[in-house]
Amino acid sequence: MRVSLFIPCYVDTLFPQAGIAMTRVLERLGLEVDFPEEQTCCGQMHFNTGYQQEALTLARRFVEIFEGSDAVVAPSASCVGMVREFYRYLANEHGDPELLERVTRLAPRTFEFSEFLVDRLGVEDVGAYFPHRVTYHPTCHSLRGIRVGDAPYRLLRAVRGIELVPLPDAQSCCGFGGTFAVKNSATSSAMLSDKVANVLTTRAEYCVAVDNSCLMQIGGALSRGKTGVRTLHLAEVLASTDQGLREGLTGPPDVLASTGEGPAEDPALAHEPTPAHEPATIRPEAEL
């Protein structure tokens, strides 16, 4: 199966490590990964601020680039939601039946990373190793938008060495919401304060999510408060392996940098090697 990467503009610009990690996991599973370099923004920012014509132009561009793909996978529930839900709305509103038909065909083949692994490939254990205490924040778009369900939790529970701790009031938003944080800064700050307080009660080392936009909001507050708690995209956790940590190929920067001479000196790695990961059984392509 050939999988096309859709890397949203803010991931490409600010958090490229999430896209790189997602690629590592997909290739580890034996998938052929393609990155169309002509891709740009999904248009959500334009759509949410009332620039529908500009968003429509980007929707048409997305369809032209990806409609020949077997599957389109993105490290963002937010942008996948834009493609699935609002491209059709734009096509209807602007009287473009051809675009509507093309979007209708492409949308079911556009996936958020965790739902693609669990719901379409039937994979939960990707051979990851991450010896840290982690809590998971279910982002609004993953929870209420495209409804990824428990796919991220199932993937995290299969990670070797991880200590996954529940996040109190997990379903509450972080307060980001793109332009919501700008238009309603006081409300956004109050929501963020509650989210960060809950993260701290878990005593987790890392707060993980499937949207870098929310992680940017939460991570900023954690950093300003000098809490020592880091944020990571789910793909970065799943890309980490014990062999990769030893070779400095994967894993969060602080883990790799904490040893001075490289991750092989990390005390957390002083354990019996985990069994070699068995190649995952992937559902037939025909089920996509």
Side-chain angles (χ1 to χ4, degrees):
M1 180 194 306
R2 183 169 62 86
V3 177
S4 294
L5 302 179
F6 171 43
I7 306 299
C9 50
Y10 67 93
V11 174
D12 185 46
T13 304
L14 301 174
F15 306 99
Q17 65 273 19
I20 293 170
M22 186 175 77
T23 304
R24 283 180 175 150
V25 174
L26 294 173
E27 289 182 339
R28 190 192 303 161
L29 294 175
L31 298 170
E32 179 185 350
V33 177
D34 168 56
F35 177 75
E37 294 188 6
E38 62 271 31
Q39 64 182 278
T40 55
C41 176
C42 71
Q44 183 177 178
M45 179 175 62
H46 308 74
F47 181 78
N48 289 347
T49 49
Y51 292 91
Q52 292 205 3
Q53 189 60 53
E54 287 78 3
L56 181 65
T57 299
L58 290 168
R60 288 174 176 146
R61 182 177 177 82
F62 182 93
V63 171
E64 288 172 2
I65 293 170
F66 289 107
E67 65 183 344
S69 303
D70 297 332
V72 183
V73 182
S76 168
S78 179
C79 289
V80 169
M82 179 69 193
V83 174
R84 285 189 189 166
E85 302 300 326
F86 296 111
Y87 279 8
R88 279 180 282 199
Y89 171 86
L90 284 168
N92 270 321
E93 283 293 299
H94 292 270
D96 190 335
E98 179 187 352
L99 177 62
L100 177 62
E101 182 179 343
R102 295 165 73 186
V103 169
T104 300
R105 288 198 299 266
L106 178 57
R109 291 184 277 119
T110 304
F111 303 96
E112 181 275 329
F113 179 53
S114 69
E115 68 171 359
F116 179 70
L117 293 178
V118 174
D119 297 338
R120 290 298 178 266
L121 298 185
V123 172
E124 296 183 13
D125 184 351
V126 298
Y129 172 71
F130 194 73
H132 297 280
R133 187 177 174 93
V134 169
T135 194
Y136 177 74
H137 164 63
T139 66
C140 291
H141 282 99
S142 70
L143 193 67
R144 303 177 182 87
I146 62 172
R147 303 179 186 278
V148 301
D150 64 351
Y153 291 104
R154 293 164 72 176
L155 290 162
L156 287 169
R157 291 188 192 110
V159 174
R160 294 173 181 80
I162 200 169
E163 183 182 1
L164 184 61
V165 291
L167 176 63
D169 201 18
Q171 297 189 355
S172 294
C173 294
C174 69
F176 181 61
T179 54
F180 176 86
V182 177
K183 296 175 180 176
N184 306 277
S185 60
T187 303
S188 172
S189 295
M191 296 170 74
L192 175 61
S193 179
D194 290 343
K195 179 61 65 177
V196 168
N198 284 324
V199 169
L200 294 179
T201 64
T202 68
R203 294 182 293 108
E205 299 169 77
Y206 293 93
C207 177
V208 173
V210 297
D211 277 286
N212 279 112
S213 50
C214 296
L215 291 173
M216 180 172 63
Q217 166 93 332
I218 297 170
L222 291 170
S223 177
R224 289 191 296 274
K226 301 185 187 305
T227 63
V229 183
R230 302 286 299 274
T231 53
L232 278 181
H233 192 281
L234 173 68
E236 295 178 81
V237 175
L238 299 183
S240 295
T241 63
D242 53 355
Q243 181 179 356
L245 286 171
R246 291 177 187 281
E247 297 176 354
L249 297 177
T250 61
D254 61 334
V255 172
L256 301 179
S258 63
T259 62
E261 298 182 355
E265 301 295 328
D266 191 333
L269 297 177
H271 69 292
E272 291 297 322
T274 53
H277 176 61
E278 296 294 333
T281 301
I282 298 176
R283 291 176 182 169
E285 187 174 346
E287 292 187 12
L288 289 173

